[in-house]
Amino acid sequence: MSEVSEAQQRLFQVVATQLADQGYCIIEDALPDKLTLALYQRVTTLAAGALKRAGIGRQRDHQLDDEYRTDKILWLDADDAAESDYLVWMEQLRHGINQQLFMGLFDYESHFAYYAPGTFYKRHLDAFKGEANRVVTTVFYLNPEWDELDGGEIALYANEGSEQSFQSVYPHAGTLVVFLSEQLPHEVRRALCDRYSIAGWFRIKSLGQRVDPQH
Ligand code: OGA
Ligand code: MN
């Protein structure tokens, strides 16, 4: 695995501190520009049909729900160089968070997501409280030119009772959002142009019977 630079070390520290203090963190220009661009090129040149409509809920038999989420996804794998570099970077972040917060994160799963114009993902939690094995969510954005008039922001809510979001983030290339999967409801507001991201989850070993919602 490649060396962790001092800049990366500092960044991991910021992520861990903010996760512990406020449950989320937002970092611009988080990954090297070259890698961000390579990931954008990768997702925008995938074979036709490689990205598939995402379903919801394993317990609901992986149904498609046009009212709830309408993005398309493709799980990352390490055969592609850019995807592999991304997974390495996230592995380093996993170590960084564990070293500082003793969270016992043991692995990471992630997928590209493509939101075509008009698509969205309604408010949801990424994990069920108490029984979840997804504990930290990452969302990394790949769009080199994003006009805020095109919407597509992720909106974060403080808790399940909150009516107003307290923070929203536009999907500019290089921006990384990290938050506690069990605590922060969030949504992807309707995007008016092509929107690309990589959503991922650090997991702990599952204690309960219930399995997290599938993405
Ligand atoms: C998800 C998700 C947010 C985004 O895939 O669970 O909430 O901004 N994605 O792409
Ligand atoms: Mn989510």
Side-chain angles (χ1 to χ4, degrees), residues 66-130:
D66 291 339
E67 297 293 304
Y68 188 66
R69 75 180 291 192
T70 51
D71 57 324
K72 289 184 176 174
I73 66 168
L74 174 68
W75 291 94
L76 260 61
D77 80 59
D79 290 344
D80 173 75
E83 292 177 43
S84 168
D85 287 352
Y86 183 79
L87 292 169
V88 166
W89 199 95
M90 283 297 167
E91 184 61 11
Q92 292 167 335
L93 174 60
R94 184 176 75 81
H95 278 283
I97 295 175
N98 278 343
Q99 270 171 9
Q100 284 169 78
L101 302 182
F102 308 104
M103 287 183 84
L105 306 176
F106 88 104
D107 79 353
Y108 182 69
E109 56 181 6
S110 62
H111 63 59
F112 285 118
Y114 166 55
Y115 290 76
T119 61
F120 55 84
Y121 191 167
K122 292 228 169 115
R123 177 172 164 159
H124 63 281
L125 271 176
D126 286 343
F128 295 114
K129 252 180 208 132

Side-chain angles (χ1 to χ4, degrees), residues 69 71 73 111 113 115 121-122 124-126 134 137-141 152-155 169 171 177 179 186-188 195-201 215:
R69 75 180 291 192
D71 57 324
I73 66 168
H111 63 59
Y115 290 76
Y121 191 167
K122 292 228 169 115
H124 63 281
L125 271 176
D126 286 343
R134 284 178 172 174
T137 299
T138 63
V139 195
F140 183 59
Y141 297 107
E153 68 272 36
I154 183 173
V169 184
V177 179
F179 58 88
H186 54 281
E187 71 196 356
V188 178
R195 177 194 195 269
Y196 296 95
S197 59
I198 303 176
W201 298 271
H215 285 70

Side-chain angles (χ1 to χ4, degrees), residues 1 48 59 78 102 117 126 129 143 147 150 162 202:
M1 202 189 297
Q59 75 279 38
F102 308 104
D126 286 343
K129 252 180 208 132
N143 311 287
D147 186 333
D150 289 327
S162 320
F202 292 113

Side-chain angles (χ1 to χ4, degrees), residues 1-214:
M1 202 189 297
S2 61
E3 287 274 305
V4 177
S5 67
E6 273 179 38
Q8 238 178 316
Q9 224 37 294
R10 279 195 298 276
L11 194 153
F12 296 165
Q13 207 142 4
V14 170
V15 172
T17 306
Q18 295 195 0
L19 265 186
D21 291 352
Q22 58 185 26
Y24 75 98
C25 109
I26 299 160
I27 303 212
E28 290 175 11
D29 300 318
L31 274 74
D33 287 349
K34 245 177 94 178
L35 177 53
T36 306
L37 185 60
L39 290 162
Y40 176 72
Q41 281 163 349
R42 171 76 179 147
V43 70
T44 52
T45 54
L46 286 168
L51 291 152
K52 301 253 178 351
R53 269 296 299 282
I56 50 163
R58 288 188 172 106
Q59 75 279 38
R60 288 171 65 175
D61 224 5
H62 201 70
Q63 290 169 1
L64 297 179
D65 186 342
D66 291 339
E67 297 293 304
Y68 188 66
R69 75 180 291 192
T70 51
D71 57 324
K72 289 184 176 174
I73 66 168
L74 174 68
W75 291 94
L76 260 61
D77 80 59
D79 290 344
D80 173 75
E83 292 177 43
S84 168
D85 287 352
Y86 183 79
L87 292 169
V88 166
W89 199 95
M90 283 297 167
E91 184 61 11
Q92 292 167 335
L93 174 60
R94 184 176 75 81
H95 278 283
I97 295 175
N98 278 343
Q99 270 171 9
Q100 284 169 78
L101 302 182
F102 308 104
M103 287 183 84
L105 306 176
F106 88 104
D107 79 353
Y108 182 69
E109 56 181 6
S110 62
H111 63 59
F112 285 118
Y114 166 55
Y115 290 76
T119 61
F120 55 84
Y121 191 167
K122 292 228 169 115
R123 177 172 164 159
H124 63 281
L125 271 176
D126 286 343
F128 295 114
K129 252 180 208 132
E131 298 179 67
N133 64 0
R134 284 178 172 174
V135 287
V136 176
T137 299
T138 63
V139 195
F140 183 59
Y141 297 107
L142 302 176
N143 311 287
E145 283 166 30
W146 191 266
D147 186 333
E148 297 184 359
L149 294 174
D150 289 327
E153 68 272 36
I154 183 173
L156 305 176
Y157 294 82
N159 56 56
E160 282 173 280
S162 320
E163 281 177 21
Q164 303 281 333
S165 64
F166 68 91
Q167 177 74 257
S168 60
V169 184
Y170 288 94
H172 294 292
T175 300
L176 175 68
V177 179
V178 184
F179 58 88
L180 298 177
S181 312
E182 292 171 291
Q183 289 182 18
L184 266 72
H186 54 281
E187 71 196 356
V188 178
R189 297 199 173 133
R190 198 179 291 276
L192 299 180
C193 60
D194 294 334
R195 177 194 195 269
Y196 296 95
S197 59
I198 303 176
W201 298 271
F202 292 113
R203 305 189 307 168
I204 54 169
K205 292 204 166 141
S206 188
L207 300 172
Q209 296 270 312
R210 198 143 137 207
V211 186
D212 291 323
Q214 194 176 54

